Each structure stands twice: as structure tokens, then as C-alpha cells.
Amino acid sequence: MKDYDVIIIGAGASGCLAAISAARQKRRVLLLEHLDKIGKKILSTGNGKCNYTNQMQGTSYYRGTDPVFVVPVMEQFGFEETLSFFRELGIQPKEKNGYYYPYSEQAASMVEVLTMELRRLRVDVLLSCEIESVKKKKRFLLKTSLGEFSGKTLIFATGLLAGRKTGCDGSAFPYIEQFGHHFIDIVPSLVQMKSKDSFLKNLAGIRAEIGLKLLVERENVFADCGELLHIAEGLSGIVSFQASRFAAYGIRQNKSVTAVIDYYPKGDFEELYTLLTERYLQYGKEKTAAEALIGLYPYPLAIAFLKEVGIPKDLPAAKVSTKELKRLAGLMKECKLTITGTKDFSDAQVCAGGVMTKELDNETLESRKVKGLFFCGEVIDIDGMCGGYNLQWAWSSGYVAGKQAALTAAKQE
């Protein structure tokens, strides 16, 4: 049996940072991954470009039972430290409206520099390694498909269930629970929302800048503006992704979930009604009710609006009544769609839920139940908004867990 100071299960973003952080403390580190390569999930981030952090930071960008839990961690390794860390490894940053990418705009660059640093620090990395048992006696004892190992400290960096092709399959959950830890319900997040509303028929592929509110049992739980992408199953696009965790929890609790879409977020009802009135007066008999909306909305969306309020699309613009225009403006400002669910974990970028933060020390990420046991990354009940926040949490929590595990191991000498 080979002995280590720190053993890390999971070689995603947080696991790699934990290994590097621990190794920089001159500790013997073992990194275990059940896939055939490290950082596979990193490769899919930012559409393959890897949006690895964001200049805008704060608790409002993170979610969970207790989002403030991130503060002590971010104070140790936040935005500036992340930029500096990756610059040191060779990543020249490229900034776009506060979003940061490697200058190469290739997520593979991030994985390559992490791999090189793990190699430089002589971290032992075992790939295609399945965990068979995890026990705690005086040390942590792991039995795997590639042998047995012991460690003074152990870090779970296993992720949850999002993107199972990238290794997040929940196989580590029983080992976490056997140490007495509990999970907040896990649901897909940053994922498409489903709706069977007839309004959405024939709108697949149509994009629109909107305002979105999400109501769960009539309670407003989310509000934001952004791009919406209509899909055959319902709603996609960043603004829909941001709302999805709240929809997923609402559906999980058998509550009604309603998306309220404002297709004219730049102005109020009166401004929109005035605009529609002017357009329909201007085009009079020259254009139909549908044609009068072209240039304001995509044609399929215009047709959907008219059908919903009962205005024939071929009706001359001049014959659309004031009452009908008010109904049309009202729909555009407040289009209500029933949300029936979200797509599943395989389509989700991340998960909401995870190991309860109240069971962890928010300064060190060490278990309050088992000495020497640490957690980092998505497996903790913290998830971020779109825009590099989930990777920032992975880097930050990985760095802290790795460093603190190494310091704890050193005290045992």
C-alpha cells in the first residue's frame, strides 16, 4: 500500500487545483480520476473557449442554501489570484466585457497547462481508476481498481451529476454519505426549461432579447434580462439557463412554475402600445397585421403574437382595432408560459444542491464531522450563474481545500 499526504478523488477543475495547491506545500499528492483524462468537463466550457473567470464578483453571482459561504474562500483565492495563477502557468487572458478567456480561446489550453504543472510538481495521477472502497482509520484507506492507497487527508472533488459523459455520475455519493454527510437535493442547473405551451409552436430557433420572471406558486423567485432562444421543447439561452435551477426545484416540490416573458424590456406598456399604434397607422392598408411587425420582431414570433390574441395575420393593418392593439401590447409585455420541467442532468452545465455547507468549515472546507476530510467544487452546495462563476468556484475552493489538506497532513508528522 502506497502512502500519501493528500489524496484527491476527481480530476476536474477543482481537483486539479487542489492537487497543485497541496503539492506546492511540498506534500506527496495522489490525484485519482475514473475517466481516461483529466479536466474533461473543462473542455466543454465557454463553447470550447473556456470562460474561466469573471471580473464581476460577489455573493449575488453564487447560489445555494447559503451563498455567503463562498466569501471566506474567495478572500483566500479570488478573481485576481486566479488571473495571476493562470498567467504563471502560461495562460494569457483575453477579456470580453468582464468575461475572461485564454488568449488562444481554446479550453484545451487550460487543461494542458494544468497537466504540465501537475507533472512539474510530481503529483501522481492515476486515470481510469475506479474507487471500490473508502475507509477512515488512523488514515484514509482507499481500495481502487489500480491498487490500495492510504492518505493522511482526503479531498472529494467529484462533482455531482451534470454532464455525465465528463465523469460526474454520482458514484462517490455513497462514500461521502458513509462519513455522515448529507446532500441538499440535487437538480439540473444552467439547462433548458421545458414547456408545452401552444404559443411556442413553430418558434424553434428564434432568438429575442427579453425580460424574464419566474413564478413558483405565484412567488417571483427570479428576474433578469438577456437573450432567449426558443427551442422545440421550450426555452433556452442564457437568461433561461439562469432561471432553470429555480424551475427545477419548483417542479421537484410539485409546485406550479410559470415563466413570464417581456418581449419589450426596453420600455413600459404605454411606450410599446404607442409604438404599435404608430406602426399600424403608418402602414395602414399597405401591410397586413403580420407584416406591420416585421422589423420589430422576427416573422414567426409576430405570427405567434397575433394568433395568441386572435388577430388574423392577413388582416390589413388599418383594420386592427385599438382594443386589439392593447391586447397585443399586453401579451408582448407579459407572455405567460407554464414550465413543465427542465432537461435532465446530461444536458445541464452544472447542478444545484450538493453537500450541506453547514457541515463544512467555511474557512478551510474541512468536514465538521471527520477530521482530515475536505470538499471542493461542484460537490458542495454552491452553484454559480453563467459567465465563469462555476469555474471560479472550482478554482477557489480547490486551492483552499488543497492547501488546507496539506497543512493538516503536515501537522501529523
Side-chain angles (χ1 to χ4, degrees):
M1 181 179 293
K2 195 169 182 180
D3 298 329
Y4 291 89
D5 294 307
V6 181
I7 298 177
I8 301 146
I9 302 176
S14 66
C16 288
L17 253 289
I20 291 170
S21 180
R24 288 184 175 185
Q25 297 295 317
K26 310 301 183 184
R27 297 291 103 189
R28 294 165 295 167
V29 180
L30 173 64
L31 180 59
L32 304 176
E33 171 56 52
H34 66 173
L35 296 182
D36 60 357
K37 61 180 66 176
I38 73 166
K40 194 168 183 179
K41 195 170 182 179
I42 298 173
L43 297 174
S44 63
T45 59
N47 292 320
K49 295 181 179 180
C50 192
N51 174 202
Y52 68 96
T53 188
N54 198 302
Q55 185 174 345
M56 300 298 295
Q57 292 291 329
T59 55
S60 61
Y61 298 99
Y62 297 92
R63 294 152 173 175
T65 304
D66 180 20
V68 178
F69 182 85
V70 307
V71 174
V73 175
M74 296 292 187
E75 287 176 346
Q76 296 175 67
F77 192 90
F79 167 72
E80 293 293 346
E81 290 81 6
T82 297
L83 287 185
S84 177
F85 174 85
F86 281 106
R87 276 199 187 99
E88 177 189 340
L89 298 191
I91 297 297
Q92 180 68 24
K94 177 180 284 188
E95 184 266 340
K96 297 179 181 179
N97 300 317
Y99 294 64
Y100 279 75
Y101 303 81
Y103 199 83
S104 64
E105 293 195 339
Q106 291 185 325
S109 298
M110 303 293 287
V111 177
E112 287 163 0
V113 298
L114 290 170
T115 300
M116 288 187 284
E117 184 66 0
L118 290 167
R119 188 182 304 123
R120 186 186 73 82
L121 293 169
R122 293 187 172 86
V123 173
D124 286 348
V125 180
L126 292 184
L127 303 175
S128 301
C129 181
E130 299 293 339
I131 307 299
E132 297 176 357
S133 69
V134 181
K135 297 179 181 179
K136 172 71 186 296
K137 292 186 178 178
K138 186 175 181 180
R139 299 167 68 97
F140 291 93
L141 305 176
L142 278 72
K143 184 178 181 181
T144 79
S145 59
L146 298 181
E148 297 183 6
F149 309 96
S150 73
K152 295 177 181 177
T153 59
L154 175 65
I155 302 174
F156 281 105
T158 55
L160 292 171
L161 297 170
R164 296 188 181 187
K165 291 181 180 179
T166 61
C168 298
D169 61 4
S171 58
F173 292 0
Y175 306 123
I176 294 171
E177 290 172 329
Q178 77 180 14
F179 286 120
H181 280 280
H182 303 85
F183 287 83
I184 297 295
D185 283 350
I186 301 166
V187 299
S189 184
L190 303 187
V191 70
Q192 298 90 342
M193 295 191 294
K194 294 181 178 180
S195 176
K196 297 179 180 179
D197 201 291
S198 60
F199 174 80
L200 296 171
K201 188 177 181 181
N202 301 320
L203 291 182
I206 300 298
R207 297 178 183 271
E209 287 294 322
I210 64 144
L212 176 65
K213 290 191 297 184
L214 197 75
L215 308 182
V216 176
E217 295 289 334
R218 299 183 180 181
E219 179 186 356
N220 188 352
V221 298
F222 172 87
D224 200 1
C225 293
E227 185 181 73
L228 177 72
L229 171 63
H230 301 80
I231 59 174
E233 300 92 335
L235 308 176
S236 187
I238 290 179
V239 70
S240 176
F241 278 24
Q242 307 286 39
S244 61
R245 75 181 310 279
F246 303 101
Y249 275 123
I251 298 297
R252 171 71 66 89
Q253 296 161 9
N254 294 315
K255 295 179 178 180
S256 65
V257 180
T258 305
V260 183
I261 303 175
D262 179 358
Y263 283 97
Y264 192 75
K266 63 173 290 185
D268 59 17
F269 171 84
E270 290 300 329
E271 181 180 325
L272 177 58
Y273 171 64
T274 299
L275 175 61
L276 292 176
T277 300
E278 291 173 349
R279 291 178 74 91
Y280 277 79
L281 285 175
Q282 176 184 352
Y283 298 126
K285 298 178 181 180
E286 298 176 6
K287 295 185 178 182
T288 65
E291 291 170 341
L293 293 176
I294 295 176
L296 183 60
Y297 294 105
Y299 187 72
L301 188 54
I303 295 298
F305 287 142
L306 295 171
K307 183 178 180 180
E308 193 74 11
V309 298
I311 301 174
K313 65 179 182 179
D314 296 324
L315 185 70
K319 291 189 177 182
V320 178
S321 69
T322 298
K323 186 177 180 179
E324 288 172 324
L325 284 178
K326 286 185 176 179
R327 287 208 312 269
L328 184 59
L331 173 66
M332 291 172 173
K333 287 295 295 179
E334 196 173 79
C335 181
K336 295 182 179 180
L337 304 175
T338 298
I339 301 300
T340 58
T342 68
K343 287 198 173 184
D344 63 20
F345 293 109
S346 62
D347 293 300
Q349 293 183 19
V350 296
C351 291
V355 173
M356 290 182 173
T357 52
K358 68 180 182 180
E359 297 177 352
L360 308 179
D361 185 301
N362 65 352
E363 294 281 350
T364 65
L365 301 181
E366 185 175 18
S367 166
R368 295 185 184 277
K369 296 176 175 289
V370 179
K371 183 68 176 176
L373 179 63
F374 295 79
F375 296 84
C376 61
E378 189 182 351
V379 73
I380 300 173
D381 177 30
I382 292 292
D383 57 291
M385 296 174 64
C386 286
Y389 296 103
N390 288 289
L391 274 180
Q392 180 61 68
W393 172 244
W395 311 135
S396 299
S397 60
Y399 172 86
V400 170
K403 180 178 180 180
Q404 295 298 329
L407 294 176
T408 298
K411 292 176 183 178
Q412 297 181 30
E413 292 182 348

